[in-house]
Amino acid sequence: MAAVPIAVITGASSGIGAATARQLAAAGYRVVLTARRKDRIEALAAEINDAGHQATAYALDVTDRNAVDEFATAFRSLAVLVNNAGGALGADPVATGDPADWRQMYETNVIGTLNVTQALLPALTESGDGTVVILSSTAGLATYEGGGGYVAAKHGEHVLAETLRLEIVGTPVRVIEVAPGMVKTEGFATTRFRGDTEKAAKVYAGVEAPLTADDVADTITWAVTRPSHVNIDLLVVRPRAQASNAKVHRTT
């Protein structure tokens, strides 16, 4: 009897990470949910298990390298790693942006992805058919005013994905980058604006149908479940109302 393939999802406590965990579990993976909010991932693991799938929760801060290395010792072989943990802080111009915000965004989005990828790459290789997914953003491909720190961090993730793919070609590990545009999730904009729900709502004002977490999770699951020889190097996904980072159709 073949072993059930394992997929690790970082930042799985909400939004795209949680939706991806649900969809990969339904696709036949045993999902390992990681995030700092232990109560959230434990509740999600229980939900997935109650649905007849397989899930476990592991509280983890991806910026803590010692904790990441300890986590990685649990895996001799691993099928999929979804690097989803990340986020944005603030929307200040470069002239007045807080260096602490820039540093935190870089640590979470880039160093966090680096930590987990480095720690789990041996297990992904050992599987003979591993997949690394890096969830970047259209911010990693083009800049916009007020987004300097987040854009810089997501550019870093984009370059990490491109470089890793070059360096491990010939090994049995794919590197997939999924770059979403405007996604309306429960916490992304609210966190960015430090709990200011009015500012967060303005991001999506007048946009008839921004992407949902399930839309992006569906994209990730599709890319992961392609035949082993098929690599989706970079998949950009936006709502129909968004033509670019700076061009969005709003009805009001």
Side-chain angles (χ1 to χ4, degrees):
M1 185 175 179
V4 176
I6 301 170
V8 170
I9 302 101
T10 69
S13 59
S14 64
I16 294 169
T20 300
R22 292 186 182 100
Q23 293 198 27
L24 285 178
Y29 289 88
R30 179 165 75 84
V31 293
V32 179
L33 319 176
T34 76
R36 290 176 297 178
R37 293 182 288 182
K38 185 179 180 181
D39 58 331
R40 297 288 295 268
I41 54 174
E42 286 182 342
L44 178 58
E47 173 199 319
I48 291 170
N49 287 322
D50 288 346
H53 308 306
Q54 299 182 52
T56 56
Y58 190 103
L60 183 68
D61 179 350
V62 297
T63 67
D64 183 339
R65 184 56 187 256
N66 289 334
V68 170
D69 287 342
E70 182 179 351
F71 168 69
T73 62
F75 305 95
R76 187 184 67 81
S77 179
L78 179 66
V80 177
L81 166 61
V82 179
N83 285 295
N84 168 72
L89 287 174
D92 299 313
V94 171
T96 58
D98 186 344
D101 287 347
W102 283 55
R103 187 173 294 109
Q104 185 173 337
M105 285 186 281
Y106 190 85
E107 285 286 337
T108 305
N109 290 280
V110 184
I111 302 302
T113 295
L114 178 67
N115 284 341
V116 181
T117 301
Q118 285 184 336
L120 292 177
L121 193 57
L124 287 157
T125 305
E126 178 65 26
S127 75
D129 188 15
T131 300
V132 176
V133 178
I134 293 177
L135 191 76
S136 61
S137 166
T138 54
L141 308 174
T143 192
Y144 57 92
E145 293 169 283
Y150 182 62
V151 168
K154 286 301 182 181
H155 269 76
E157 267 195 302
H158 169 64
V159 170
L160 189 160
E162 282 195 333
T163 307
L164 178 63
R165 192 180 301 114
L166 291 171
E167 291 173 344
I168 66 171
V169 67
T171 72
V173 179
R174 302 181 294 183
V175 180
I176 294 170
E177 180 183 358
V178 176
M182 181 180 284
V183 186
K184 187 175 183 180
T185 63
E186 61 191 272
F188 179 83
T190 304
T191 298
R192 183 170 201 167
F193 295 111
R194 295 177 171 81
D196 189 327
T197 55
E198 186 176 342
K199 278 187 177 181
K202 287 180 180 178
V203 173
Y204 312 103
V207 181
E208 186 175 353
L211 295 178
T212 67
D214 283 331
D215 293 329
V216 181
D218 181 60
T219 300
I220 292 169
T221 302
W222 174 83
V224 166
T225 55
R226 294 311 85 208
S228 298
H229 70 287
V230 177
N231 196 92
I232 309 301
D233 283 16
L234 172 62
L235 199 162
V236 175
V237 53
R238 290 189 174 101
R240 186 173 62 188
Q242 184 182 31
S244 74
N245 289 347
K247 181 69 173 180
V248 180
H249 175 69
R250 300 180 190 268
T251 56
T252 56

